[in-house]
Amino acid sequence: MSETTCITGLHRGEAGAFHYIFTLFHPRLCFFANGLLPPSIETTAEDVVQEAFVKLWEKRTRFQDLDGVRAFLYLAVKNACFNVLKHEKIVARHRGENAALPEHPVVMQRLLQAEVTEQVRLALARLPEGCRDVLQLSYFEGLRNEDAARVLHVSVNTVKSQKQRGMRLLRDIMKEPYWRVLVLLLVKCFF
């Protein structure tokens, strides 16, 4: 779906456009929120992200592009997480415990991790299956070449060549002008 079609559909209240945005941003927003909320809190990252999408739907006519939607969603999730943490801090103080809010650099680091992780996941999905499987086993699951070859039922040389080819293709895919969008997002969200 093109950005223009998506934003126009969002303005009109079309479920397909909203679903597209949800699918695009939901995994990275959950990753982001999980990094800000400790597991001991009853409110889950999923709850916080769901509420951000409700707010997006309520304000859907205000957005001109997907960068604005992305910035809004990250800011809504960050603020909701901080509100949950502030509440937990008050509860902890009444129990005689000490709880701290994440610092600004932690939030920025988590936002960057969420965006980069999603971009790597999308780039990996664009690789041929053999390269993708080898990179997944080698770099994300930490298997040695011999072990990856055994799992995939291929030779060690095939694993080495697929790894080399996959990394070259991944570098080419990641050269796309994504970092400009990331900088714009950071500026809109936090400055």
Side-chain angles (χ1 to χ4, degrees):
M1 177 178 292
S2 76
E3 182 172 353
T4 305
T5 304
C6 181
I7 294 299
T8 303
L10 183 64
H11 287 181
R12 292 181 185 156
E14 294 174 5
F18 186 77
H19 182 264
Y20 175 80
I21 291 170
F22 183 86
T23 303
L24 186 63
F25 294 116
H26 185 264
R28 62 183 95 177
L29 291 169
C30 285
F31 181 86
F32 177 61
N34 272 321
L36 298 178
L37 295 174
S40 60
I41 292 180
E42 285 184 33
T43 303
T44 66
E46 184 74 34
D47 295 336
V48 169
V49 170
Q50 203 68 22
E51 186 60 34
F53 278 105
V54 169
K55 289 178 183 176
L56 172 68
W57 181 256
E58 292 169 352
K59 299 174 191 249
R60 68 185 175 274
T61 59
R62 298 181 183 180
F63 301 99
Q64 303 305 312
D65 55 26
L66 285 176
D67 289 340
V69 170
R70 178 187 289 122
F72 172 82
L73 287 170
Y74 270 112
L75 192 57
V77 169
K78 178 193 79 127
N79 290 341
C81 286
F82 275 24
N83 287 340
V84 168
L85 292 169
K86 284 177 189 174
H87 175 74
E88 288 298 315
K89 188 175 182 179
I90 291 169
V91 170
R93 193 176 319 133
H94 285 289
R95 289 188 297 222
E97 301 169 359
N98 191 11
L101 294 175
E103 297 178 20
H104 185 70
V106 172
V107 174
M108 295 294 287
Q109 178 185 12
R110 194 61 185 183
L111 184 138
L112 286 170
Q113 285 175 334
E115 282 297 306
V116 170
T117 300
E118 181 64 13
Q119 289 307 308
V120 169
R121 187 189 69 74
L122 292 172
L124 280 172
R126 291 173 58 185
L127 293 177
E129 185 178 359
C131 293
R132 183 176 54 242
D133 292 344
V134 167
L135 292 181
Q136 179 69 35
L137 291 172
S138 297
Y139 294 111
F140 295 100
E141 295 181 28
L143 296 183
R144 296 182 346 219
N145 289 344
E146 295 79 14
D147 298 330
R150 197 175 322 75
V151 168
L152 296 172
H153 305 292
V154 297
S155 72
V156 174
N157 285 337
T158 300
V159 168
K160 289 178 183 178
S161 64
Q162 288 284 21
K163 190 188 287 189
Q164 188 176 31
R165 179 175 175 238
M167 290 304 290
R168 186 178 20 83
L169 291 170
L170 198 56
R171 274 192 297 274
D172 290 344
I173 291 169
M174 296 301 287
K175 283 183 184 175
E176 294 174 4
Y178 175 73
W179 296 108
R180 181 186 66 79
V181 173
L182 186 57
V183 170
L184 290 173
L185 169 68
L186 292 173
V187 169
K188 285 182 180 181
C189 278
F190 295 102
F191 301 107

